[in-house]
Amino acid sequence: MNALAELAATGRIAVRYRVATADVGAVAEAVRIEQTIEYPLELITDGFIRDEVVGQVEDVTQRASGSEFTLSFHPDVAGGELSQLLNLLWGNVSLFECVRVVDVALPDAVLDVFFGPRFGLAGLRVLLDAPHRPLLTTAIKPMGLPAADLGEMAATLAIAGFDIVKDDHGLANQPWAPFRERVRTVSAAVAEANAASGNHCLYMPSLNVPSDRQVEAAYFAKESGAGALLVLPGLAGLDAMRSLADDPALGLPIMAHPSFQGSLVVNADQGLRHGLLFGLLARLAGADLSIFPSHGGRFSFSPEACADIADSCRRPLGGIAPIWPAPGGGMTLERVDEIANFYGLDVALLIGGALHRGNLAANATALAEKVRELGSAPTATMP
Amino acid sequence: MNALAELAATGRIAVRYRVATADVGAVAEAVRIEQTIEYPLELITDGFIRDEVVGQVEDVTQRASGSEFTLSFHPDVAGGELSQLLNLLWGNVSLFECVRVVDVALPDAVLDVFFGPRFGLAGLRVLLDAPHRPLLTTAIKPMGLPAADLGEMAATLAIAGFDIVKDDHGLANQPWAPFRERVRTVSAAVAEANAASGNHCLYMPSLNVPSDRQVEAAYFAKESGAGALLVLPGLAGLDAMRSLADDPALGLPIMAHPSFQGSLVVNADQGLRHGLLFGLLARLAGADLSIFPSHGGRFSFSPEACADIADSCRRPLGGIAPIWPAPGGGMTLERVDEIANFYGLDVALLIGGALHRGNLAANATALAEKVRELGSAPTATMP
């Protein structure tokens, strides 16, 4: 058990920060105040507030570069709610230029508040009748196509054997394929394709909708026959995703899209470690699958960041189920073996626009066959 | 009229990007695809999609450092909704390490979709009976105090002449002062203080609440007598703030808090220009006041960034009202003249914990008198 996990085992919220300035001790002092009382510490006369409510410095490690420190917090500071937990982890400190959160450990008292993903790794394997292999997912696109064309494309992918066919996340309520028309049309097309093929493809509309219509849109999707939901937590808010996942009457698998979240992770000296955002927080917020740009593309995460995300999606986390890392970007038939070797079989492959070079049906079928071979190969192992 | 405004005048959404890599042309090509069709351009046979839906490169300016390019987009790509407009401006491109949005110009067709702030600069001057002077605001704190103590503190500030007394944004639903108890207690205390003093102080609870209880919490606050709302758009989502501002039955002024938003602006080569987030987007999303850390503190924005935010809050923007820049951090009685000289009188001063050094009532009264003097001084001018 590492030092953070040991702190969490004592019931404290533990956060490890890396600091790109010389005066790590001063930053640690500033952060423990800024994230809790925002008040001059020397004016606090109440012993409980000074000793329990204010964050405590647990460790300061000064290095020539990349100094680190650990704070711990009373679990009640998080108030039993995801929004305040997020605020505690990365609220005001997000305004500091030189601080990155590199690790978080949560005590059971905090983890137990969250249901996490409704399906997760195991639940989607059952739902999709895919006991061993990677999942195969892609998006209908490009923006500008009418709903009927998007429906035809989705049907082709469903018949080929794709597990999830999602809206491109930028499909919103544009005049070319308005939300309701698109969801109705594509849901019907995928249902028909499933009936004809015996496949279990889920159509996943993008809930890129106004905040005050999100619940209505989610239920409209369900009632139209859509089998899953794509949520953009960088725009909708992580807690809005959590509220959809927690709704038992809705009960649809959720995939998180990283739109608008990039600045939280891509700046080396600032933000959150990749796996914390796309693994830990995605799970607390109820995602069953977590999209990120896989290594190997032109503007993509490093192999280390990708491995961190995959590990953070799947490692033990109290009673919260493991979820599917969904690497996207630059995925082709030729790279499937490489990608499965890197991520293992508990991965949802998100295939991009290259699928459309040549014949879509033939490309999609070849990919689906390739992925099914992976699941039955006796040598397939987890990394 | 600058080049971006000229593009907007032709009906296009115009976005200017700065790029920290050598190959600016390739980045421009990647971004115009990534933010729209996410599909190989050479496979597009439909002329409308290729010419209208895909972003267009309007200008590429290569420099030894800080190359820039301008893209323009068909207004329908934004789909008439804030969430998709945000996705267009900073969705997938947020995952690029080397790109910063430095300017945005929106055509009337897009601006006209948004109501913007319900009160804005002028509306709050009427509501608070403050025709000329800066507004004076602060937070009740620290976290850990019971509701009764917070109420007493709020009453002291209301009697002293503060315009807005907000919850510290980290006050959520902690056991020491749960949301409903706190809102009820502090609202009553401020109402009593106003009745006794003849002042117009607004108590502004923090809507740091679960997403699915945000509307209920806002109405609970209103029905309890709270006069305004603090929203955390970095956690709740900018569009959730917009939905609260747009609700005519709610009708309360809204202050935006920058929690969780820092990574969007503080990395020099990545993210959004400060004024775009805390000015333009805050206004589109309905904030009446926009908080940011003013220059002069230890971990605060530069004077240039602060001036940019203040200008972006107050400059003409179609039919969308100007709003209050609300600089916070390191504000003391001694700095009021300097701050008013920098920002002018159309500013909401957010006074921090230093107010509590010594006697709160005396400090608060001195500040309120000082701010009222500013509003009546014949030499007071806008910068």
Side-chain angles (χ1 to χ4, degrees):
Chain A
M1 195 184 286
N2 72 18
L4 253 62
E6 280 171 20
L7 282 166
T10 70
R12 306 274 296 173
I13 296 169
V15 186
R16 181 87 171 160
Y17 307 82
R18 201 177 64 222
V19 184
T21 56
D23 200 357
V24 55
V27 176
E29 279 300 314
V31 173
R32 79 188 187 109
I33 303 297
E34 198 62 55
Q35 296 304 93
T36 55
I37 57 167
E38 299 186 66
Y39 193 89
L41 188 58
E42 68 276 16
L43 300 184
I44 301 285
T45 52
D46 183 308
F48 176 75
I49 295 178
R50 189 185 55 233
D51 299 334
E52 300 290 340
V53 177
V54 179
Q56 301 298 325
V57 180
E58 300 285 352
D59 174 75
V60 173
T61 307
Q62 186 107 33
R63 295 200 194 94
S65 78
S67 293
E68 295 191 353
F69 64 93
T70 298
L71 300 183
S72 75
F73 299 96
H74 193 296
D76 283 350
V77 172
E81 294 175 345
L82 183 59
S83 42
Q84 171 56 13
L85 176 62
L86 296 170
N87 184 47
L88 174 63
L89 295 178
W90 196 241
N92 275 5
V93 70
S94 76
L95 296 156
F96 287 37
E97 286 173 30
C98 56
V99 176
R100 187 168 173 95
V101 177
V102 294
D103 207 0
V104 172
L106 300 173
D108 288 343
V110 171
L111 286 175
D112 287 351
V113 168
F114 300 106
F115 294 108
R118 182 165 292 276
F119 294 85
L121 269 175
L124 275 182
R125 286 210 175 282
V126 172
L127 189 69
L128 291 163
D129 191 23
H132 303 302
R133 61 178 173 80
L135 298 188
L136 192 56
T137 76
T138 190
I140 48 175
K141 53 172 82 176
M143 182 190 293
L145 286 185
D149 291 10
L150 294 168
E152 196 180 315
M153 186 181 291
T156 300
L157 294 159
I159 288 169
F162 270 64
D163 297 294
I164 295 173
V165 174
K166 71 177 188 68
D167 282 346
D168 224 16
H169 77 287
L171 301 186
N173 203 28
Q174 292 96 347
W176 317 302
F179 179 79
R180 283 178 172 247
E181 182 194 343
R182 183 176 78 248
V183 171
R184 216 185 276 120
T185 304
V186 180
S187 296
V190 170
E192 198 177 320
N194 282 340
S197 63
N199 289 338
H200 301 83
C201 179
L202 303 177
Y203 166 51
M204 176 185 270
S206 176
L207 276 191
N208 180 346
V209 299
S211 169
D212 42 348
R213 289 189 224 145
Q214 183 178 272
V215 172
E216 172 196 315
Y219 275 91
F220 179 84
K222 180 186 169 86
E223 283 151 23
S224 299
L229 300 170
L230 182 73
V231 177
L232 286 58
L235 293 167
L238 279 158
D239 194 63
M241 183 163 73
R242 192 270 319 147
S243 74
L244 291 170
D246 281 359
D247 180 352
L250 188 59
L252 295 181
I254 290 174
M255 187 180 233
H257 188 284
S259 169
F260 215 81
Q261 292 186 308
S263 302
L264 286 166
V265 299
V266 300
N267 299 284
D269 290 334
Q270 216 269 346
L272 307 172
R273 206 190 78 214
H274 292 75
L276 295 176
L277 181 63
F278 295 114
L280 174 67
L281 297 184
R283 289 168 77 179
L284 294 182
D288 298 292
L289 312 98
S290 180
I291 300 177
F292 59 95
S294 192
H295 59 98
R298 187 179 173 98
F299 300 102
S300 50
F301 293 167
S302 70
E304 294 71 29
C306 294
D308 172 34
I309 294 169
D311 177 60
S312 300
C313 284
R314 302 182 301 207
R315 67 191 303 180
L317 181 65
I320 295 174
I323 65 172
W324 296 85
M331 294 264 165
T332 58
L333 183 61
E334 293 68 37
R335 289 192 67 206
V336 167
D337 279 325
E338 169 206 338
I339 292 161
N341 277 336
F342 186 85
Y343 291 104
L345 298 183
D346 288 337
V347 64
L349 304 174
L350 178 57
I351 313 295
L355 190 61
H356 299 261
R357 291 187 198 281
N359 183 279
L360 177 63
N363 293 341
T365 304
L367 261 166
E369 283 171 4
K370 176 73 190 170
V371 165
R372 280 166 177 76
E373 279 167 28
L374 281 176
S376 59
T379 56
T381 53
M382 288 289 299
Chain B
M1 196 185 283
N2 71 18
L4 253 62
E6 280 172 19
L7 282 165
T10 70
R12 306 274 296 173
I13 296 169
V15 186
R16 182 86 171 161
Y17 307 82
R18 202 176 64 221
V19 184
T21 56
D23 199 356
V24 55
V27 175
E29 279 300 315
V31 173
R32 80 187 186 107
I33 303 297
E34 197 62 54
Q35 295 304 95
T36 55
I37 58 168
E38 299 186 65
Y39 194 90
L41 188 59
E42 68 277 16
L43 300 184
I44 301 284
T45 52
D46 182 309
F48 176 76
I49 295 178
R50 191 185 54 234
D51 299 335
E52 301 290 341
V53 178
V54 179
Q56 302 297 324
V57 180
E58 300 285 352
D59 175 75
V60 174
T61 306
Q62 186 107 34
R63 295 201 195 95
S65 78
S67 294
E68 295 191 353
F69 65 94
T70 298
L71 300 183
S72 76
F73 299 95
H74 193 295
D76 283 350
V77 172
E81 294 174 345
L82 183 59
S83 43
Q84 170 56 13
L85 176 62
L86 296 170
N87 185 46
L88 175 63
L89 295 178
W90 196 240
N92 275 6
V93 71
S94 75
L95 296 157
F96 288 38
E97 286 175 29
C98 56
V99 176
R100 186 168 175 95
V101 176
V102 294
D103 208 359
V104 171
L106 300 173
D108 288 344
V110 171
L111 286 175
D112 288 352
V113 168
F114 301 107
F115 293 107
R118 181 167 292 276
F119 294 84
L121 267 176
L124 275 182
R125 286 210 176 282
V126 172
L127 189 69
L128 292 163
D129 191 22
H132 305 299
R133 61 179 173 79
L135 299 187
L136 192 56
T137 75
T138 191
I140 47 174
K141 55 173 80 176
M143 183 191 290
L145 284 186
D149 291 9
L150 295 169
E152 194 179 317
M153 187 182 290
T156 300
L157 295 159
I159 288 169
F162 270 63
D163 296 295
I164 295 172
V165 174
K166 72 177 187 67
D167 282 346
D168 223 16
H169 78 287
L171 302 185
N173 203 28
Q174 291 96 349
W176 317 302
F179 179 79
R180 286 180 170 243
E181 181 192 345
R182 182 177 77 249
V183 171
R184 215 185 277 119
T185 304
V186 181
S187 294
V190 170
E192 197 176 320
N194 282 340
S197 64
N199 290 339
H200 301 83
C201 180
L202 303 178
Y203 165 52
M204 176 185 271
S206 177
L207 277 190
N208 181 346
V209 298
S211 170
D212 43 349
R213 289 190 222 144
Q214 183 178 271
V215 172
E216 172 196 315
Y219 274 92
F220 179 83
K222 181 186 167 87
E223 283 151 23
S224 300
L229 300 170
L230 182 73
V231 177
L232 285 56
L235 293 166
L238 280 158
D239 196 63
M241 183 163 73
R242 194 269 317 146
S243 75
L244 291 170
D246 282 359
D247 180 352
L250 188 60
L252 295 181
I254 290 174
M255 188 179 231
H257 188 284
S259 169
F260 215 81
Q261 292 185 308
S263 302
L264 286 165
V265 298
V266 301
N267 299 284
D269 291 333
Q270 215 271 347
L272 306 171
R273 206 190 76 214
H274 292 75
L276 295 176
L277 181 64
F278 295 114
L280 174 68
L281 297 185
R283 289 168 76 180
L284 294 182
D288 298 291
L289 313 98
S290 179
I291 300 177
F292 59 95
S294 192
H295 60 97
R298 187 180 173 95
F299 299 101
S300 50
F301 293 166
S302 69
E304 295 70 28
C306 293
D308 171 34
I309 293 169
D311 177 60
S312 300
C313 283
R314 302 181 303 206
R315 66 189 305 178
L317 181 65
I320 294 174
I323 65 171
W324 296 85
M331 294 264 165
T332 57
L333 183 61
E334 294 67 38
R335 288 193 67 206
V336 166
D337 279 324
E338 168 206 338
I339 293 162
N341 277 335
F342 185 85
Y343 291 105
L345 298 183
D346 288 337
V347 65
L349 304 173
L350 178 56
I351 313 295
L355 190 62
H356 299 261
R357 290 187 198 282
N359 183 278
L360 176 64
N363 293 341
T365 304
L367 261 166
E369 283 171 4
K370 175 74 190 169
V371 165
R372 278 163 178 78
E373 278 167 30
L374 282 177
S376 59
T379 55
T381 52
M382 290 288 300

